[in-house]
């Protein structure tokens, strides 16, 4: 993308959100005033962490279903996170795991929170997701496809399930049950209501469900803030809704530093806390060395994709499979190997330094 085109898109995004957001109707409790959001943010240390799934799980269902929930591995891996100074983790839930066993699901979430609190980590939870495989199914999950990034990750509620309004009442029960149960739980940082709405060629077809989940969340009115991160600059209606209905602003950016900084400067214009909930793709020149110090300088929360190399196969790039399953010349995501050794010691040392673990 040319510099001129990129700047035009950013300008239109900003202008569109300022002028057209009021034309997107939604019945919710009020968005937090900016002062309340900034006060909430000021009560936390600089937020740093990763998008987290245990190495033993290929997707959200394998993480949360009773037969494959793995607290031992979670405890071990969150210990590594604590060791490098991470204080948050972004964790995906899944509606089918709840539907299969609502009470058991909430007990496992509570158990996860107990483990996270032990390691001084305050996670944020993600509800819906438009990324990767279209039809999630409960039960035994597939084995990873050799050398393919996120071969088993599943959407929630799926495609075309997310476009069918007949599914909304059941999804409302899920969201409200989980959020009400944990609405006053200080162990939770915030609720990320919808990951990358419009992905997988859905576009504005995701707007009705996005609108509904904000309605449901604001009817619960939890103590924690709610958000949905922007990620595609040309999704004008989705972006306008997400920005104007989120208590705190979250976003994804895998670009190199100059472009990433421009996004930060734009989003700060709204006067709310800003948290990056996905970054760090080494072969795209989004690295710890050039992005994480910038995020700290700008007081933007830093949550990178990937923590431990495992069944998600996200050491491989999105569109660069390795059919032999060998180790790529440079890992795309992830920080640790499964034995706890860092992929790159210099990166771990930098993370520790930025988090005040070492001087």
């Amino acid at each position: 993308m040319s510099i001129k085109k990129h700047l035009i898109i950013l300008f239109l995004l900003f202008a569109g959100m300022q002028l057209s957001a009021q034309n997107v109707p939604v019945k919710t409790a009020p968005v937090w005033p900016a002062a309340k959001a900034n006060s909430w943010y000021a009560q936390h240390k600089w937020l740093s962490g990763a998008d987290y799934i245990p190495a033993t799980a290929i997707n959200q269902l394998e993480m949360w279903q009773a037969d494959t929930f793995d607290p031992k591995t979670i405890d071990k891996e969150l210990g590594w996170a604590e060791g490098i100074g991470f204080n948050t983790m972004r964790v995906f839930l899944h509606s089918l795991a709840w539907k299969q066993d609502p009470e058991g699901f909430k007990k496992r979430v509570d158990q996860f929170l107990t483990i996270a609190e032990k390691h001084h980590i305050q996670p944020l939870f993600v509800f819906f997701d438009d990324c990767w495989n279209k039809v999630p199914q409960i039960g035994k999950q597939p084995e990873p496809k050799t050398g393919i990034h996120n071969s088993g990750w599943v959407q929630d509620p799926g495609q075309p399930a997310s476009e069918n309004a007949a599914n909304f009442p059941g999804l409302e029960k899920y969201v409200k049950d989980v959020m009400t149960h944990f609405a006053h739980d200080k162990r939770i940082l915030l609720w990320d209501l919808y990951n990358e709405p419009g992905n997988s060629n859905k576009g504005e077809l995701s707007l009705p469900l996005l609108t509904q989940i904000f309605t449901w969340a604001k009817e619960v009115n939890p103590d924690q803030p709610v958000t949905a991160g922007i990620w595609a600059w040309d999704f004008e209606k989705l972006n306008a809704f997400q920005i104007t209905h989120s208590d705190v602003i979250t976003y994804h950016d895998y670009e190199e530093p100059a472009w990433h900084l421009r996004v930060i400067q734009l989003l700060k214009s709204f006067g709310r806390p800003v948290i990056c909930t996905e970054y760090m793709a080494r072969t795209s020149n989004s690295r710890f060395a050039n992005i994480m110090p910038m995020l700290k300088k700008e007081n933007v929360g830093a949550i990178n994709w990937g923590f431990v190399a495992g069944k998600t196969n996200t050491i491989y790039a999105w569109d660069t499979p390795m059919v032999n399953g060998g180790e790529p010349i440079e890992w795309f995501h992830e920080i640790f190997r499964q034995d706890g050794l860092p992929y790159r010691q210099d990166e771990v040392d930098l993370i520790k330094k930025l988090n005040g673990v070492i001087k």
Side-chain angles (χ1 to χ4, degrees), residues 8-21:
I8 289 172
I9 288 175
L10 289 176
F11 174 78
L12 290 175
L13 169 65
F14 179 78
M17 285 188 286
Q18 293 286 352
L19 297 175
S20 68

Side-chain angles (χ1 to χ4, degrees), residues 15-164:
M17 285 188 286
Q18 293 286 352
L19 297 175
S20 68
Q22 293 182 357
N23 295 325
V24 184
V26 62
K27 296 178 181 179
T28 66
V31 178
W32 282 12
K36 179 179 179 179
N38 287 313
S39 175
W40 168 86
Y41 195 60
Q43 294 170 21
H44 296 85
K45 293 181 180 179
W46 176 61
L47 296 171
S48 70
D51 284 77
Y52 175 72
I53 187 167
T56 52
I58 192 172
N59 60 24
Q60 316 93 302
L61 288 169
E62 194 161 38
M63 178 175 181
W64 291 111
Q65 290 182 146
D67 290 346
T68 47
F69 183 64
D70 189 357
K72 183 177 179 181
T73 295
I74 292 169
D75 187 23
K76 176 182 66 176
E77 293 177 352
L78 293 189
W80 299 341
E82 179 185 16
I84 61 175
F86 278 174
N87 53 30
T88 189
M89 289 291 202
R90 183 172 181 250
V91 181
F92 287 70
L93 307 174
H94 203 285
S95 60
L96 289 186
W98 172 87
K99 184 177 180 180
Q100 182 185 42
D101 178 16
E103 294 309 310
F105 177 81
K106 287 180 288 186
K107 288 178 181 177
R108 290 188 286 279
V109 172
D110 184 78
Q111 187 175 358
F112 179 89
L113 287 168
T114 298
I115 296 169
E117 184 180 37
K118 168 186 170 182
H119 295 293
H120 309 289
I121 289 169
Q122 191 180 23
L124 58 148
F125 288 123
V126 185
F127 279 107
F128 298 149
D129 186 2
D130 276 352
C131 294
W132 301 105
N133 293 288
K134 297 180 180 181
V135 184
Q137 294 182 329
I138 57 174
K140 181 173 172 54
Q141 298 303 297
E143 292 301 313
K145 295 179 181 178
T146 303
I148 295 178
H149 177 109
N150 252 339
S151 66
W153 196 269
V154 287
Q155 298 182 24
D156 187 8
Q159 191 172 359
S162 62
E163 302 157 27
N164 186 352

Side-chain angles (χ1 to χ4, degrees), residues 113-326:
L113 287 168
T114 298
I115 296 169
E117 184 180 37
K118 168 186 170 182
H119 295 293
H120 309 289
I121 289 169
Q122 191 180 23
L124 58 148
F125 288 123
V126 185
F127 279 107
F128 298 149
D129 186 2
D130 276 352
C131 294
W132 301 105
N133 293 288
K134 297 180 180 181
V135 184
Q137 294 182 329
I138 57 174
K140 181 173 172 54
Q141 298 303 297
E143 292 301 313
K145 295 179 181 178
T146 303
I148 295 178
H149 177 109
N150 252 339
S151 66
W153 196 269
V154 287
Q155 298 182 24
D156 187 8
Q159 191 172 359
S162 62
E163 302 157 27
N164 186 352
N167 294 323
F168 291 3
L171 295 171
E172 179 180 5
K173 290 180 182 178
Y174 158 59
V175 171
K176 287 187 173 180
D177 182 38
V178 173
M179 189 173 283
T180 300
H181 188 84
F182 295 102
H184 309 297
D185 197 319
K186 297 184 183 301
R187 298 173 297 176
I188 297 174
L189 179 69
L190 60 83
W191 301 99
D192 191 343
L193 301 181
Y194 204 139
N195 180 63
E196 299 197 352
N199 207 329
S200 304
N201 297 314
K202 293 182 180 181
E204 292 180 8
L205 292 173
S206 295
L207 186 58
L209 183 56
L210 175 70
T211 302
Q212 287 299 309
I213 193 171
F214 270 89
T215 300
W216 304 333
K218 285 299 184 178
E219 286 173 353
V220 174
N221 196 23
D223 294 343
Q224 310 93 344
V226 302
T227 188
I230 62 172
W231 67 282
W233 309 114
D234 52 344
F235 284 1
E236 294 179 14
K237 288 185 179 180
L238 290 168
N239 291 335
F241 185 89
Q242 288 163 246
I243 288 290
T244 55
H245 292 85
S246 292
D247 298 321
V248 298
I249 294 174
T250 57
Y251 72 99
H252 299 171
D253 198 304
Y254 290 101
E255 298 171 297
E256 59 187 20
W259 293 121
H260 194 147
L261 179 59
R262 284 171 171 82
V263 170
I264 292 170
Q265 291 167 336
L266 172 74
L267 295 179
K268 280 189 169 184
S269 301
F270 293 94
R272 293 178 176 273
V274 178
I275 303 170
C276 180
T277 51
E278 287 188 28
Y279 78 100
M280 211 289 288
R282 294 180 182 90
T283 57
S284 297
N285 199 28
S286 175
R287 305 170 183 274
F288 288 115
N290 61 6
I291 299 296
M292 196 173 182
M294 177 182 70
L295 294 175
K296 183 169 186 180
K297 180 181 178 182
E298 297 293 329
N299 194 28
V300 172
I303 301 174
N304 69 278
W305 186 275
F307 189 63
V308 180
K311 293 177 77 172
T312 60
N313 273 350
T314 52
I315 64 171
Y316 304 105
W318 297 310
D319 53 2
T320 311
M322 290 187 65
V323 294
N324 65 0

